[in-house]
Amino acid sequence: MSICFCSNSFTLRLTQLQCFKRYYPSQIPITQIQFNLNPFNPSSVLPLKSSEPAKISTSRGRCSITASTTSTVEAETSPSTFRDKNPRDINVLVVGSTGYIGKFVVKELVNRGFNVIAVARERNGNRGKNSKEETLEQLKGANVQFSDVTHLGSLESCLESLGSSIDVVVSCLASRSGGVKDSWKIDYEATNNSLVAGRRRGASHFVLLSAICVQKPLLEFQRAKLKFEAELMGEAEEDENFTYSIVRPTAFFKSLGGQVELVKEGKPYVMFGDGKLCACKPISEKDLAKFIADCVLSKDKINQVLPIGGPGKALTPLEQGEMLFRLVGKEPKFLKVPIGIMDFAIGVLDFLVKIFPSMEDAAEFGKIGRYYAAESMLVLDPETEEYNAEKTPSYGKDTLEDFFEKVIREGMAGQELGEQTIF
């Protein structure tokens, strides 16, 4: 910060104006704040505090006084952090609140006493099956606001109607299908809308639910997520008062439960190759929600990328299948599908896309299936370029075995894969 004196005025230059201009591009550019003093009265200048002596220089008849980087100008109120407040006084905006993880995040934040503002569509859930009334019941305890996060204007109007500021934004947004256009519309554009709208309402921390698979980006949704991650980090670099926490979980339980009913019926467990091509440390929705809620206040999670998995050892598809057969009391029976079949199918689809562009998403779905059939959901060691289970942090108490036992008893109600189904 610097203060410049002329014969009849002084100018206060602010270092954080870049942030203002970014979020209010339509406003008249501001580079300085000027106060006229005619005649000049030194006593009217706000006292300047500094841990070091001020430096005085002259240029073209002007006198410039520049304070050290630790200088502050006294004002009526001093800046404070939301982390000093009680949870009941902290406003947390949650977008993607009705998703598989989002609804558990809302519940966890409400249970911890935060003032939760949950944004949802009026028709949401798998293929829009949930009504407005069902959503209000599902997100009980939160201040539910119905809006469309894919439209910045709609989201901003929704937040302005609240008449209150936002302290933290938690994004659990994710593309439902993984299609090319949908990925960029949700994983990048809608998520960025939540950042912009939140920042304009005063948000100083952003918690992002990303995915561990972005370490090796071969798919559109991974590229979209990485683009937003980079911009989120850039925001924190530009503004030292803004922070983020990027959460990259491994596989969710529901993504591994699609074959429980098949095995119960005596059918073989389907896996690619020898069943050892990929491994993961799956985490439950409740445990992941708790970890995300931790990121709201935990100072040790500020400005970090946080890979996270569930408890226990990493499990390959072969080990998951063996566990499932043991739990249902049947002899293991596997159907091993050569990975080359998927490569052939993807090649055909890529060729057809050149003739029929409308098949773009079909080709992308094939690549998504191929990716998850071969790549582990673990930390990718940059030195060895191999997946490392030991370097993948564990969190929580819920195990995949507990999940399988529950699904065997109760079925997959509430765990539907919808458009994400492969088997």
Side-chain angles (χ1 to χ4, degrees):
M1 176 181 295
S2 65
I3 300 177
C4 297
F5 292 91
C6 300
S7 60
N8 64 347
S9 70
F10 75 91
T11 300
L12 176 66
R13 292 189 174 89
L14 304 177
T15 60
Q16 298 299 330
L17 288 170
Q18 285 185 336
C19 180
F20 183 94
K21 290 190 290 182
R22 174 180 177 182
Y23 289 105
Y24 295 90
S26 63
Q27 304 298 318
I28 298 173
I30 298 176
T31 57
Q32 61 185 25
I33 301 174
Q34 183 165 318
F35 299 84
N36 290 325
L37 299 171
N38 191 15
F40 174 68
N41 181 2
S43 64
S44 67
V45 181
L46 292 175
L48 182 67
K49 290 185 177 181
S50 175
S51 59
E52 297 179 6
K55 300 177 181 179
I56 303 177
S57 62
T58 59
S59 176
R60 296 186 181 181
R62 296 172 56 179
C63 176
S64 176
I65 301 180
T66 304
S68 69
T69 55
T70 57
S71 300
T72 59
V73 174
E74 288 184 351
E76 294 181 0
T77 58
S78 59
S80 62
T81 172
F82 69 89
R83 295 182 179 88
D84 296 331
K85 302 178 184 178
N86 290 322
R88 67 175 178 271
D89 298 319
I90 299 175
N91 296 329
V92 181
L93 174 69
V94 181
V95 292
S97 61
T98 58
Y100 175 62
I101 300 300
K103 57 179 176 284
F104 286 94
V105 170
V106 170
K107 183 177 181 179
E108 182 65 26
L109 291 171
V110 168
N111 289 341
R112 295 192 186 193
F114 291 101
N115 181 26
V116 181
I117 302 162
V119 176
R121 293 173 298 167
E122 292 196 9
R123 300 294 302 186
N124 57 73
N126 186 20
R127 304 185 189 279
K129 69 177 183 179
N130 294 335
S131 67
K132 188 174 181 178
E133 291 71 25
E134 290 171 326
T135 299
L136 290 171
E137 180 61 29
Q138 186 182 71
L139 303 178
K140 193 173 182 179
N143 181 354
V144 181
Q145 297 292 314
F146 292 97
S147 183
D148 185 354
V149 292
T150 64
H151 292 91
L152 179 58
S154 174
L155 181 58
E156 286 191 306
S157 297
C158 166
L159 297 182
E160 287 173 5
S161 68
L162 293 173
S164 60
S165 62
I166 301 296
D167 295 299
V168 183
V169 178
V170 178
S171 174
C172 297
L173 292 169
S175 165
R176 288 189 176 278
S177 67
V180 176
K181 291 181 180 178
D182 191 50
S183 293
W184 286 99
K185 183 177 181 180
I186 303 300
D187 291 300
Y188 174 71
E189 292 179 14
T191 310
N192 189 61
N193 286 346
S194 67
L195 171 63
V196 173
R199 290 286 276 147
R200 288 179 179 175
R201 301 300 298 175
S204 58
H205 186 54
F206 195 102
V207 182
L208 174 68
L209 173 60
S210 186
I212 203 166
C213 63
V214 300
Q215 301 170 109
K216 192 174 181 180
L218 301 177
L219 307 169
E220 285 303 309
F221 82 86
Q222 296 166 335
R223 298 184 185 101
K225 286 181 181 293
L226 282 175
K227 180 175 174 61
F228 179 76
E229 284 189 13
E231 295 189 8
L232 185 61
M233 294 177 189
E235 182 69 20
E237 290 177 359
E238 291 180 10
D239 185 355
E240 62 182 8
N241 295 316
F242 176 76
T243 57
Y244 65 84
S245 298
I246 297 174
V247 181
R248 291 180 177 176
T250 64
F252 300 156
F253 280 0
K254 77 167 185 177
S255 65
L256 306 177
Q259 298 192 69
V260 174
E261 289 301 321
L262 295 177
V263 171
K264 284 176 64 177
E265 295 170 3
K267 297 178 181 178
Y269 186 91
V270 181
M271 59 187 184
F272 292 94
D274 60 0
K276 300 178 182 179
L277 288 175
C278 54
C280 63
K281 297 177 73 171
I283 187 169
S284 73
E285 64 276 14
K286 292 181 181 178
D287 283 339
L288 179 55
K290 290 178 181 177
F291 184 82
I292 291 173
D294 290 345
C295 293
V296 171
L297 292 179
S298 296
K299 293 182 179 180
D300 63 347
K301 294 178 176 59
I302 290 175
N303 293 348
Q304 291 193 58
V305 173
L306 303 161
I308 195 68
K313 66 184 290 289
L315 298 170
T316 64
L318 177 62
E319 292 170 318
Q320 296 165 29
E322 290 173 340
M323 177 192 296
L324 190 51
F325 280 110
R326 174 172 55 81
L327 293 174
V328 299
K330 296 181 180 294
E331 284 294 319
K333 184 167 53 174
F334 296 96
L335 175 59
K336 299 179 180 181
V337 180
I339 197 73
I341 290 178
M342 298 192 74
D343 292 332
F344 175 77
I346 292 171
V348 172
L349 288 169
D350 281 342
F351 173 77
L352 292 175
V353 167
K354 297 176 182 178
I355 305 173
F356 307 104
S358 61
M359 295 186 66
E360 181 182 52
D361 278 352
E364 187 68 11
F365 298 153
K367 293 173 184 177
I368 292 173
R370 171 65 170 80
Y371 190 100
Y372 286 115
E375 303 292 337
S376 291
M377 298 296 108
L378 301 169
V379 168
L380 186 63
D381 191 325
E383 296 180 0
T384 64
E385 296 186 351
E386 294 181 355
Y387 294 106
N388 192 311
E390 286 69 32
K391 291 187 177 182
T392 306
S394 295
Y395 182 91
K397 299 179 180 179
D398 298 337
T399 66
L400 182 62
E401 184 169 350
D402 294 335
F403 172 74
F404 279 163
E405 288 179 340
K406 181 178 180 180
V407 173
I408 290 171
R409 294 192 311 269
E410 305 173 10
M412 286 284 285
Q415 301 284 341
E416 295 85 359
L417 292 175
E419 297 176 61
Q420 300 170 354
T421 303
I422 293 179
F423 298 114

mmCIF file of all heavy atoms in Angstrom, residues 1-3 11-21 30-33 35 73:
data_model
loop_
_atom_site.group_PDB
_atom_site.id
_atom_site.type_symbol
_atom_site.label_atom_id
_atom_site.label_comp_id
_atom_site.label_asym_id
_atom_site.label_seq_id
_atom_site.Cartn_x
_atom_site.Cartn_y
_atom_site.Cartn_z
ATOM 1 N N MET A 1 0.849 -1.177 0.000
ATOM 2 C CA MET A 1 0.000 0.000 0.000
ATOM 3 C C MET A 1 0.886 1.230 0.000
ATOM 4 O O MET A 1 1.934 1.240 0.644
ATOM 5 C CB MET A 1 -0.889 -0.018 1.246
ATOM 6 C CG MET A 1 -1.753 1.217 1.417
ATOM 7 S SD MET A 1 -2.715 1.082 2.921
ATOM 8 C CE MET A 1 -3.752 -0.293 2.531
ATOM 9 N N SER A 2 0.512 2.301 -0.679
ATOM 10 C CA SER A 2 1.288 3.529 -0.659
ATOM 11 C C SER A 2 0.365 4.726 -0.561
ATOM 12 O O SER A 2 -0.785 4.682 -0.984
ATOM 13 C CB SER A 2 2.163 3.637 -1.913
ATOM 14 O OG SER A 2 1.349 3.740 -3.056
ATOM 15 N N ILE A 3 0.904 5.811 0.024
ATOM 16 C CA ILE A 3 0.164 7.057 0.125
ATOM 17 C C ILE A 3 0.986 8.147 -0.536
ATOM 18 O O ILE A 3 2.148 8.349 -0.175
ATOM 19 C CB ILE A 3 -0.119 7.428 1.594
ATOM 20 C CG1 ILE A 3 -0.948 6.323 2.262
ATOM 21 C CG2 ILE A 3 -0.835 8.769 1.690
ATOM 22 C CD1 ILE A 3 -1.208 6.580 3.705
ATOM 23 N N THR A 11 -3.238 10.375 -2.423
ATOM 24 C CA THR A 11 -3.803 9.219 -3.117
ATOM 25 C C THR A 11 -3.437 7.933 -2.384
ATOM 26 O O THR A 11 -2.274 7.721 -2.059
ATOM 27 C CB THR A 11 -3.275 9.143 -4.559
ATOM 28 O OG1 THR A 11 -3.662 10.341 -5.230
ATOM 29 C CG2 THR A 11 -3.868 7.954 -5.292
ATOM 30 N N LEU A 12 -4.422 7.105 -2.144
ATOM 31 C CA LEU A 12 -4.226 5.809 -1.477
ATOM 32 C C LEU A 12 -4.325 4.716 -2.523
ATOM 33 O O LEU A 12 -5.359 4.546 -3.151
ATOM 34 C CB LEU A 12 -5.314 5.611 -0.411
ATOM 35 C CG LEU A 12 -5.346 4.284 0.340
ATOM 36 C CD1 LEU A 12 -4.080 4.149 1.192
ATOM 37 C CD2 LEU A 12 -6.582 4.213 1.210
ATOM 38 N N ARG A 13 -3.234 4.013 -2.776
ATOM 39 C CA ARG A 13 -3.237 2.926 -3.754
ATOM 40 C C ARG A 13 -3.424 1.597 -3.029
ATOM 41 O O ARG A 13 -2.724 1.320 -2.061
ATOM 42 C CB ARG A 13 -1.937 2.916 -4.548
ATOM 43 C CG ARG A 13 -1.794 4.123 -5.483
ATOM 44 C CD ARG A 13 -0.604 3.946 -6.397
ATOM 45 N NE ARG A 13 -0.530 5.003 -7.378
ATOM 46 C CZ ARG A 13 0.117 6.141 -7.181
ATOM 47 N NH1 ARG A 13 0.733 6.351 -6.038
ATOM 48 N NH2 ARG A 13 0.152 7.061 -8.125
ATOM 49 N N LEU A 14 -4.316 0.761 -3.546
ATOM 50 C CA LEU A 14 -4.627 -0.516 -2.915
ATOM 51 C C LEU A 14 -4.108 -1.662 -3.756
ATOM 52 O O LEU A 14 -4.295 -1.682 -4.959
ATOM 53 C CB LEU A 14 -6.149 -0.676 -2.726
ATOM 54 C CG LEU A 14 -6.820 0.446 -1.922
ATOM 55 C CD1 LEU A 14 -8.312 0.198 -1.879
ATOM 56 C CD2 LEU A 14 -6.252 0.500 -0.523
ATOM 57 N N THR A 15 -3.495 -2.637 -3.124
ATOM 58 C CA THR A 15 -2.902 -3.764 -3.855
ATOM 59 C C THR A 15 -3.901 -4.825 -4.221
ATOM 60 O O THR A 15 -3.612 -5.698 -5.036
ATOM 61 C CB THR A 15 -1.797 -4.414 -3.007
ATOM 62 O OG1 THR A 15 -2.374 -4.888 -1.795
ATOM 63 C CG2 THR A 15 -0.689 -3.418 -2.699
ATOM 64 N N GLN A 16 -5.088 -4.796 -3.651
ATOM 65 C CA GLN A 16 -6.051 -5.872 -3.897
ATOM 66 C C GLN A 16 -7.098 -5.498 -4.934
ATOM 67 O O GLN A 16 -8.120 -6.160 -5.068
ATOM 68 C CB GLN A 16 -6.757 -6.245 -2.583
ATOM 69 C CG GLN A 16 -5.820 -6.778 -1.516
ATOM 70 C CD GLN A 16 -5.129 -8.037 -1.962
ATOM 71 O OE1 GLN A 16 -5.696 -8.783 -2.750
ATOM 72 N NE2 GLN A 16 -3.932 -8.294 -1.488
ATOM 73 N N LEU A 17 -6.879 -4.390 -5.698
ATOM 74 C CA LEU A 17 -7.904 -3.961 -6.646
ATOM 75 C C LEU A 17 -8.070 -4.916 -7.818
ATOM 76 O O LEU A 17 -9.091 -4.926 -8.475
ATOM 77 C CB LEU A 17 -7.569 -2.565 -7.160
ATOM 78 C CG LEU A 17 -7.787 -1.471 -6.096
ATOM 79 C CD1 LEU A 17 -7.212 -0.162 -6.580
ATOM 80 C CD2 LEU A 17 -9.252 -1.317 -5.778
ATOM 81 N N GLN A 18 -7.073 -5.766 -8.080
ATOM 82 C CA GLN A 18 -7.200 -6.729 -9.172
ATOM 83 C C GLN A 18 -8.364 -7.657 -8.931
ATOM 84 O O GLN A 18 -9.094 -8.020 -9.840
ATOM 85 C CB GLN A 18 -5.913 -7.539 -9.327
ATOM 86 C CG GLN A 18 -4.793 -6.747 -9.972
ATOM 87 C CD GLN A 18 -3.586 -7.618 -10.203
ATOM 88 O OE1 GLN A 18 -3.397 -8.631 -9.522
ATOM 89 N NE2 GLN A 18 -2.768 -7.244 -11.149
ATOM 90 N N CYS A 19 -8.533 -8.071 -7.680
ATOM 91 C CA CYS A 19 -9.640 -8.977 -7.339
ATOM 92 C C CYS A 19 -10.977 -8.291 -7.599
ATOM 93 O O CYS A 19 -11.895 -8.863 -8.156
ATOM 94 C CB CYS A 19 -9.527 -9.398 -5.877
ATOM 95 S SG CYS A 19 -10.834 -10.492 -5.356
ATOM 96 N N PHE A 20 -11.081 -6.967 -7.213
ATOM 97 C CA PHE A 20 -12.314 -6.219 -7.427
ATOM 98 C C PHE A 20 -12.636 -6.147 -8.909
ATOM 99 O O PHE A 20 -13.779 -6.372 -9.335
ATOM 100 C CB PHE A 20 -12.148 -4.825 -6.836
ATOM 101 C CG PHE A 20 -13.391 -3.981 -6.926
ATOM 102 C CD1 PHE A 20 -14.273 -3.934 -5.868
ATOM 103 C CD2 PHE A 20 -13.668 -3.247 -8.074
ATOM 104 C CE1 PHE A 20 -15.415 -3.164 -5.948
ATOM 105 C CE2 PHE A 20 -14.803 -2.488 -8.155
ATOM 106 C CZ PHE A 20 -15.680 -2.431 -7.096
ATOM 107 N N LYS A 21 -11.626 -5.839 -9.717
ATOM 108 C CA LYS A 21 -11.863 -5.680 -11.153
ATOM 109 C C LYS A 21 -12.250 -7.001 -11.804
ATOM 110 O O LYS A 21 -13.019 -7.038 -12.745
ATOM 111 C CB LYS A 21 -10.612 -5.114 -11.823
ATOM 112 C CG LYS A 21 -10.345 -3.658 -11.437
ATOM 113 C CD LYS A 21 -9.251 -3.058 -12.288
ATOM 114 C CE LYS A 21 -7.917 -3.661 -11.956
ATOM 115 N NZ LYS A 21 -6.829 -3.051 -12.731
ATOM 116 N N ILE A 30 -10.664 0.972 -11.690
ATOM 117 C CA ILE A 30 -10.192 1.760 -10.561
ATOM 118 C C ILE A 30 -8.733 1.429 -10.304
ATOM 119 O O ILE A 30 -8.360 0.267 -10.190
ATOM 120 C CB ILE A 30 -11.016 1.459 -9.292
ATOM 121 C CG1 ILE A 30 -12.480 1.841 -9.532
ATOM 122 C CG2 ILE A 30 -10.464 2.219 -8.101
ATOM 123 C CD1 ILE A 30 -13.389 1.489 -8.380
ATOM 124 N N THR A 31 -7.888 2.393 -10.230
ATOM 125 C CA THR A 31 -6.480 2.152 -9.941
ATOM 126 C C THR A 31 -6.037 2.883 -8.691
ATOM 127 O O THR A 31 -4.956 2.641 -8.183
ATOM 128 C CB THR A 31 -5.599 2.611 -11.109
ATOM 129 O OG1 THR A 31 -5.840 3.978 -11.363
ATOM 130 C CG2 THR A 31 -5.894 1.798 -12.368
ATOM 131 N N GLN A 32 -6.868 3.796 -8.192
ATOM 132 C CA GLN A 32 -6.483 4.513 -6.992
ATOM 133 C C GLN A 32 -7.709 5.158 -6.368
ATOM 134 O O GLN A 32 -8.752 5.301 -6.990
ATOM 135 C CB GLN A 32 -5.431 5.579 -7.313
ATOM 136 C CG GLN A 32 -5.928 6.647 -8.296
ATOM 137 C CD GLN A 32 -4.834 7.597 -8.680
ATOM 138 O OE1 GLN A 32 -3.672 7.246 -8.621
ATOM 139 N NE2 GLN A 32 -5.197 8.807 -9.048
ATOM 140 N N ILE A 33 -7.596 5.496 -5.115
ATOM 141 C CA ILE A 33 -8.652 6.208 -4.406
ATOM 142 C C ILE A 33 -8.083 7.554 -3.996
ATOM 143 O O ILE A 33 -7.057 7.602 -3.310
ATOM 144 C CB ILE A 33 -9.122 5.424 -3.166
ATOM 145 C CG1 ILE A 33 -9.645 4.053 -3.606
ATOM 146 C CG2 ILE A 33 -10.195 6.187 -2.411
ATOM 147 C CD1 ILE A 33 -10.003 3.159 -2.451
ATOM 148 N N PHE A 35 -8.444 11.473 -2.321
ATOM 149 C CA PHE A 35 -9.174 12.345 -1.422
ATOM 150 C C PHE A 35 -8.634 13.771 -1.613
ATOM 151 O O PHE A 35 -7.431 13.998 -1.461
ATOM 152 C CB PHE A 35 -8.969 11.928 0.046
ATOM 153 C CG PHE A 35 -9.441 10.552 0.337
ATOM 154 C CD1 PHE A 35 -8.621 9.458 0.080
ATOM 155 C CD2 PHE A 35 -10.697 10.332 0.865
ATOM 156 C CE1 PHE A 35 -9.053 8.179 0.367
ATOM 157 C CE2 PHE A 35 -11.114 9.057 1.151
ATOM 158 C CZ PHE A 35 -10.299 7.983 0.898
ATOM 159 N N VAL A 73 -3.609 0.591 7.464
ATOM 160 C CA VAL A 73 -4.298 1.843 7.722
ATOM 161 C C VAL A 73 -5.454 1.547 8.643
ATOM 162 O O VAL A 73 -6.277 0.677 8.363
ATOM 163 C CB VAL A 73 -4.811 2.465 6.406
ATOM 164 C CG1 VAL A 73 -5.650 3.693 6.707
ATOM 165 C CG2 VAL A 73 -3.642 2.833 5.514
#
